[in-house]
Amino acid sequence: MRIAVLSGKGGTGKTLVSVNLAAAAKASTYIDCDVEEPNGHLFFKPEGVQVEEISVKIPKVDHELCNGCRKCVEFCNFNALAYIKNKLIVFDDVCHSCGGCILVCPESALTEKAKVIGKIKKGVSGEVAVWTGVLNTGEATGIPIIKKLLEESSEVNKQTFIDCPPGSACIVMESIKDADYCILVAEPTLFGVHNLNMVYELVKLFNRPYGVILNKCLEGENPAEKFCLEKNIKILGRIPFDNELGTLNSNAEIAVNKNEEYRELFSSLLNKVTKEVQHETTTNP
Amino acid sequence: MKIAIPVDEKTLESNVCVSFGRTPYFLIYDVETKESIFIDNSAAASTGGAGIKAAQIIVDNKADVLLTPRLGENAAEVLKPAEIKIYKTITGSAKDNIDAFIDGKLPLLDEFHAGFHGHGGN
Amino acid sequence: MKQLLILSGKGGTGKTTIASAFIKLADAKAYADCDVDAPNLHLITGWSVKPARTDYYGLPKADIDPELCIKCDQCRQNCRFDAISIDEKYKVDPFACEGCGVCEYVCPVEAITMKPAVAGELMLYSDGEKVFSTAQLKMGSGTSGMLVTEVKKQMKATAADAELAIIDGSPGIGCPVIASLSGVDMVLIVAEPSISGISDMERIINTAAKFGTKTAVCINKYDTNIENTEKIEEFCKKQALPFIGRIPFDSNAVKAINNGQTVVDIDCISGTAVKEVYHKTMNLLFEKGGG
């Protein structure tokens, strides 16, 4: 069962929720797909970490075979190739690894080589398997890393929690593509609701079953709750705005491991989510 | 000697464009014949790698010198093997900068900023 | 025009809350929201006029003509992005398609063409005095870096005489952030005193350092964790980064924002602190002989 946790706006509590649900579920897998700024590992402090480098294919030129026809330069839609003083230059950082230049070269002067763009770190924290994707700074896209993470997770039999990146751009899409259920984390602010709307549209577009967890709940009117009621979105639960929870979180401590109250809170949230997912998979297989 | 300058408009009096890769036009000025040619910068419409494409255009138009306010490291990598000298422009028009260059008043540009990867997470 | 960019690394630290306050205090004539994925600044800048809207085209997307398609499967086999699938007809997934043109090239019957695709929308608010430039990236799109560049270009073109421009940035360290960094005179990093916040702050400082832009740091919600606040101040000292202030956590700030107001529109402790940070930032931005 793969559960993605997303929010649209940054800082609403994706990591708080995904880390604590994984910890409450005990024998589970936590996957951090926020490859630009991964944080889950700071909470789990996994041990026995194994690192797998992730690379993409980029062109390599054999200057002896290249005859300067420039078909590759003309073909490349990303401007990753230039031909200067009878020499072809490849710009690794700009290349999208489409393989087109290799196909168009009439002299077979272009072949492919691997370029490392990041890594996947797998470790263990108690009973939780912690997988973290990390994109190297300066690299264009983390999608190949997310693809690999999710590909490998399809063989995992345990409950899996996917911590998604903020926003609703294609990197988020990639993270939810194969999820069985999406938890949208919302905060009770004007900005929070605006961005909640975006991911709400995204999960609907991708036909993923979803529900909302309202985080940082205070007394009084909650614009995020209002939004859910208006749109008939299932509210899975509420996490109160709580200084102690905030402090634990800011010190990268896993709340369910530190406090009975939070253990109960997240365990019951977990039960609710599990029931929802089972219900969804039986009614919409 | 041919001088290339990114310009906002197709005149010698035009301001120098703040961007190299996405300037609308390049002025190619021949110092000996005092002739000016303006070329459209097709790189401006690229979603990414604009600096690389723009630099290729400069090279293909046989410029010897480039006057620009800034330059990305990818574009610099294209210009280096082509042995095109790069100088930093001052505030003013293209004409002001050509005059300043001829008088030896412009400094070499030796700081290149990182590429912007105009494309996104796709 | 001096440009100030507000970044954070981590999401939710308070970039937009602080940017909107700065805009109010400076009575800025030019400002922009470069968080094109999830723009929020327009929610508290209270414009009554409608913006001018322009479609933003990203990379073209492949389109397969089912009448010409002979189902040879060459396109699907050669597509590196898993964008082509078969469901009776051969179809291109516009979200996965990167616009590389390989399928168009390999198709033996010219059944595939690259078509322009709208990836977002630019919006420009102006009333003769002030200019506000923003954009919304279409859901699931990439190419946000170039859209960010367009947002800044649009602002500069319309408000050429403005003395100061304030730019609200996006979270992360990727393309949209890199694109927003180009040509700015100063970066103000809004840090959050949490372990995650510190980790993300270091990565964004790293990214900004590659541009050699003047960078300063302030801490928002500092009293939620004094220990981490002190860690951040230590870090700034070691890195010789100007540390220009601490802003307390303030529930009144949330109330103000939810009411569509900035924190300096009401009387509150965060507003007072933001005012001080603002003055220090302006001093640094406009100081003579600054790097």
Side-chain angles (χ1 to χ4, degrees), chain A residues 45-99:
Chain A
K45 305 169 181 53
E47 295 177 330
V49 179
Q50 302 202 308
V51 182
E52 180 193 341
E53 279 189 334
I54 304 296
S55 55
V56 293
K57 293 195 186 134
I58 52 170
K60 190 172 72 169
V61 59
D62 183 337
H63 296 289
E64 310 274 305
L65 296 174
C66 172
N67 68 359
C69 72
R70 292 172 60 147
K71 284 210 168 75
C72 56
V73 178
E74 304 305 323
F75 178 86
C76 183
N77 269 347
F78 310 105
N79 299 322
L81 298 159
Y83 192 77
I84 309 293
K85 280 253 168 61
N86 302 324
K87 224 172 139 203
L88 185 70
I89 314 177
V90 179
F91 286 89
D92 296 1
D93 292 344
V94 181
C95 173
H96 274 60
S97 306
C98 72

Side-chain angles (χ1 to χ4, degrees), chain C residues 97-142:
Chain C
C97 175
E98 297 235 347
C100 67
V102 166
C103 54
E104 183 187 43
Y105 177 78
V106 301
C107 177
V109 296
E110 292 183 16
I112 306 182
T113 39
M114 303 306 292
K115 296 220 164 105
V118 174
E121 190 181 51
L122 277 157
M123 288 160 279
L124 187 66
Y125 294 81
S126 68
D127 62 1
E129 261 196 48
K130 294 198 240 230
V131 166
F132 170 38
S133 175
T134 180
Q136 171 77 66
L137 191 67
K138 206 165 144 195
M139 191 171 46
S141 286

Side-chain angles (χ1 to χ4, degrees), chain A residues 8-12 15 35-39 41-43 57 75-78 96-105 112 134-141 143 147 166-173 177 188-192 194-195 198-199 201-203 205-206 216 218 221 223 241 243 246-247 249-252, chain C residues 8-13 16-17 20 37-44 59-60 78-82 93 95-96 98-102 105-106 114 136-142 171-176 178 192-197 199-201 203-204 206-207 210 221 224-225 227-228 249 251 254 257-260:
Chain A
K9 190 179 186 307
T12 54
T15 301
V35 301
E36 282 183 33
E37 301 276 27
N39 286 325
H41 67 103
L42 297 167
F43 291 77
K57 293 195 186 134
F75 178 86
C76 183
N77 269 347
F78 310 105
H96 274 60
S97 306
C98 72
C101 51
I102 288 135
L103 289 172
V104 308
C105 178
E112 295 192 293
V134 187
L135 181 70
N136 293 345
T137 48
E139 290 297 338
T141 169
I143 289 189
K147 274 196 162 118
S168 59
C170 53
I171 194 176
V172 179
M173 263 175 34
K177 241 181 199 163
T189 66
L190 183 69
F191 297 161
H194 181 65
N195 299 153
M198 285 162 37
V199 283
E201 295 294 329
L202 186 69
V203 298
L205 180 74
F206 278 77
K216 308 188 205 175
L218 292 159
E221 201 185 272
F241 179 93
N243 277 323
T247 305
N249 205 51
S250 89
N251 283 325
Chain C
S8 62
K10 190 177 186 306
T13 60
T16 304
T17 302
S20 57
D37 193 353
N40 282 326
L41 192 54
H42 62 289
L43 297 168
I44 33 175
L59 292 159
N78 280 289
C79 176
R80 289 279 182 88
F81 311 106
D82 300 326
D93 174 359
F95 291 109
E98 297 235 347
C100 67
V102 166
Y105 177 78
V106 301
M114 303 306 292
Q136 171 77 66
L137 191 67
K138 206 165 144 195
M139 191 171 46
S141 286
I173 53 162
C175 296
I178 293 174
E192 172 189 284
S194 65
I195 302 288
S196 306
S199 168
D200 296 351
M201 175 196 75
R203 275 167 76 87
I204 184 65
N206 212 312
T207 310
K210 298 197 171 135
K221 313 181 218 176
T224 57
N225 195 313
E227 202 187 313
N228 287 337
F249 175 83
S251 52
V254 177
I257 299 289
N258 283 352
N259 265 331

Side-chain angles (χ1 to χ4, degrees), chain C residues 47 70 154 200 245 252 291:
Chain C
W47 282 80
I70 57 169
Q154 195 180 238
D200 296 351
N252 283 317

